[in-house]
């Protein structure tokens, strides 16, 4: 069993992916070839943001966004301690300071009601993460930012395709950053990422920063980076876009099956109202995680932990949070566990994983008659809408 089945995805889109790659090999414009602009225009249209700037990775997207906002040493950026390290790393790379705010226990996303206490005269931006594919409380976060004159950067590396009150993730704030790392919901076959904004000035700055701060050939009007996404990777994403909406629906269907079998029996990461998740991870909350993980491993079921060590306990970052405590992030990092998930995962596999998890957690799984009822299409439709 695969944790994320990228081979099945390739098999489903093989001809289109191959022909898109072949087209790049034929025209030979490996850097900033026509697929780059084509992808940027399709992704901008998809999200509704005015501008999309493709970049070398999700991490680079965060770095370039902070550079475009003029973030400098001494500035403070409010963010979550419970994310992939790149979120805080981008801030530190610019010499700025990540100021961590604890998370909401139900969703594992940044807790808006704790933000204002951490705002100081040095605060410049808030960087929420749409963790596991579900946007944070963006209206509340945007309202706080507006009151204090701050920018909001959504780290949407896990949530491309998700929605929040009818708008797409990546188009929910000043800037949205996503990643096309192969295992993300929309992945390429190497590194890639994209930045979204509807601010013309920021878009110009980010396009220049991406190419060494160049405004015209060999004229460098600002400090930049070598941060382009290459044409071949853009071609792969273009090929995958055709099935992306279908894949998001299949991810939601897999999640609905898990919800039906697990809800009320083991802890789940909650789905907040008026938003959808693309389930970059389907994550459960279990006590005695090591034992449960070992039992699943013995049954041939791969699992992963996102994330076992929160930022404020990372050796290179702990000094930034000295004297502060993040009890919810600490608690969740000890209990979260992600299950196999993907658009090509069969209902039988999902059921096998869920039953094995319940057994490992010491919960009696539903009997076979009840299982069939829980997995019936009409029962799932209800769970799916709850989950959204
Ligand atoms: C994957 C990820 C990133 C980094 O993306 P890369 O493309 O791997 O650089 C940043 N933030 C979060 C929350 C991520 O999950």
């Amino acid at each position: 069993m695969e944790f994320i089945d990228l081979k099945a995805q390739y098999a489903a889109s093989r001809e289109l992916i191959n022909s898109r790659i072949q087209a790049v090999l034929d025209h030979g414009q490996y850097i900033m070839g026509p697929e780059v602009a084509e992808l940027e225009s399709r992704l901008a249209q998809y999200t509704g943001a005015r501008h999309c700037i493709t970049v070398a990775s999700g991490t680079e997207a965060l770095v370039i966004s902070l550079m475009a906002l003029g973030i400098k040493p001494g500035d403070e950026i409010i963010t979550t301690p419970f994310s992939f390290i790149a979120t805080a790393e981008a801030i530190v790379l610019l010499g700025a300071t990540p100021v961590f705010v604890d998370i909401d226990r139900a969703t594992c996303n940044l807790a808006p009601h704790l933000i204002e206490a951490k705002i100081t005269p040095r605060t410049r931006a808030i960087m929420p993460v749409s963790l596991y594919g579900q946007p944070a409380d963006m209206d509340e976060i945007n309202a706080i930012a507006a009151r204090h004159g701050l920018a909001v950067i959504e780290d949407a590396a896990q949530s491309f395709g998700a929605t929040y009150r009818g708008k797409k993730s990546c188009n929910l704030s000043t800037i949205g950053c996503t990643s096309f790392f192969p295992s993300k919901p929309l992945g390429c076959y190497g590194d890639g990422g994209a930045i979204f904004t509807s601010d013309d000035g920021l878009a110009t700055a980010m396009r220049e920063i991406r190419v060494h701060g160049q405004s015209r050939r060999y004229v460098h009007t600002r400090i930049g980076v070598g941060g382009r996404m290459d044409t071949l990777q853009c071609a792969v994403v273009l090929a995958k876009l055709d099935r992306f909406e279908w894949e998001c629906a299949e991810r939601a269907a897999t999640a609905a099956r898990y919800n039906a079998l697990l809800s009320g029996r083991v802890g789940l990461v909650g789905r907040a109202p008026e938003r959808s998740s693309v389930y970059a991870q389907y994550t459960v909350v279990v006590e005695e995680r090591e034992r449960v993980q070992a039992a699943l491993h013995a049954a041939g079921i791969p699992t992963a932990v996102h994330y076992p060590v929160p930022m404020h306990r990372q050796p290179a970052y702990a000094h930034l949070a000295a004297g502060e405590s993040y009890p919810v992030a600490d608690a969740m990092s000890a209990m979260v566990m992600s299950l196999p998930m993907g658009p090509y995962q069969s209902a039988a596999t999902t059921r096998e994983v869920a039953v094995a998890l319940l057994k490992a957690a010491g919960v009696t799984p539903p009997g076979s008659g009840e299982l069939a009822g829980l997995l019936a299409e009409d029962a799932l439709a209800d769970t799916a809408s709850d989950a959204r």
Side-chain angles (χ1 to χ4, degrees):
M1 191 183 297
E2 303 275 344
F3 185 65
I4 296 174
D5 196 348
L6 292 178
K7 288 190 194 117
Q9 188 195 43
Y10 174 60
S13 296
R14 185 190 168 92
E15 265 137 53
L16 189 53
I17 292 171
N18 288 1
S19 75
R20 276 284 189 175
I21 290 175
Q22 189 61 52
V24 177
L25 299 177
D26 288 337
H27 67 55
Q29 296 176 57
Y30 300 117
I31 298 294
M32 298 309 272
E35 285 79 2
V36 178
E38 184 185 351
L39 179 62
E40 290 177 348
S41 113
R42 288 212 28 209
L43 295 181
Q45 197 173 23
Y46 179 88
T47 60
R50 195 144 55 190
H51 304 280
C52 167
I53 300 105
T54 56
V55 292
S57 68
T59 308
E60 207 64 37
L62 296 170
V63 169
I64 293 173
S65 299
L66 292 167
M67 290 175 78
L69 288 169
I71 301 303
K72 54 186 189 316
D75 290 346
E76 294 175 357
I77 313 289
I78 288 178
T79 191
T80 165
F82 195 57
S83 177
F84 181 59
I85 198 68
T87 312
E89 183 180 52
I91 297 167
V92 171
L93 277 173
L94 288 192
T97 306
V99 173
F100 300 119
V101 165
D102 209 355
I103 54 172
D104 173 62
R105 183 173 280 273
T107 62
C108 292
N109 274 328
L110 196 57
H113 70 281
L114 300 176
I115 291 176
E116 269 184 312
K118 294 286 185 99
I119 292 177
T120 77
R122 291 181 298 280
T123 309
R124 298 290 310 279
I126 307 173
M127 196 188 276
V129 176
S130 300
L131 198 74
Y132 305 143
Q134 171 176 237
D137 293 320
M138 295 302 284
D139 280 357
E140 290 85 332
I141 291 169
N142 285 330
I144 294 165
R147 277 203 291 282
H148 296 271
L150 309 174
V152 176
I153 303 175
E154 180 196 9
D155 181 343
Q158 303 179 4
S159 63
F160 188 84
T163 59
Y164 176 87
R165 295 191 171 144
K167 289 178 83 177
K168 292 280 189 197
S169 176
C170 292
N171 184 31
L172 303 176
S173 58
T174 323
I175 296 174
C177 294
T178 199
S179 163
F180 304 124
F181 187 82
S183 58
K184 308 281 181 176
L186 181 60
C188 58
Y189 288 159
D191 277 308
I195 312 174
F196 297 83
T197 186
S198 291
D199 181 310
D200 297 344
L202 283 174
T204 302
M206 295 187 296
R207 283 190 191 286
E208 293 179 6
I209 292 166
R210 170 176 71 174
V211 199
H212 305 289
Q214 180 172 277
S215 54
R216 278 183 296 126
R217 195 162 170 79
Y218 299 130
V219 176
H220 303 275
T221 40
R222 54 181 105 228
I223 308 293
V225 296
R228 292 164 299 220
M229 180 166 167
D230 66 69
T231 315
L232 277 168
Q233 297 305 339
C234 290
V236 171
V237 177
L238 277 168
K240 287 196 185 181
L241 260 186
D242 285 5
R243 290 178 78 89
F244 183 63
E245 276 302 297
W246 177 86
E247 288 187 354
C248 288
E250 289 301 307
R251 285 176 171 280
T254 298
R257 290 184 193 109
Y258 275 139
N259 290 343
L261 298 172
L262 299 176
S263 178
R265 298 182 174 88
V266 295
L268 303 178
V269 170
R271 314 295 156 207
E274 296 183 83
R275 71 203 74 176
S276 68
S277 177
V278 285
Y279 297 97
Q281 310 297 342
Y282 185 91
T283 304
V284 297
V285 182
V286 288
E287 287 173 20
E288 294 190 74
R289 180 177 62 202
E290 281 192 11
R291 196 183 51 69
V292 172
Q293 248 193 320
L296 290 176
H297 180 76
I301 296 172
T303 58
V305 174
H306 306 95
Y307 295 91
V309 183
M311 311 269 194
H312 62 280
R313 297 195 181 277
Q314 291 290 352
Y317 293 79
H319 66 282
L320 298 168
E324 303 284 333
S325 69
Y326 303 94
V328 185
D330 282 335
M332 300 316 284
S333 65
M335 294 191 290
V336 290
M337 183 179 79
S338 304
L339 304 179
M341 162 52 78
Y344 300 91
Q345 181 167 307
S346 71
T349 296
T350 303
R351 174 174 152 164
E352 179 189 340
V353 173
V355 168
L357 169 63
L358 291 173
K359 284 184 181 157
V363 181
T364 312
S368 56
E370 197 189 343
L371 272 178
L374 287 169
L375 290 174
E377 288 301 319
D378 46 346
L380 286 177
D382 287 349
T383 328
S385 57
D386 283 344
R388 281 156 169 246

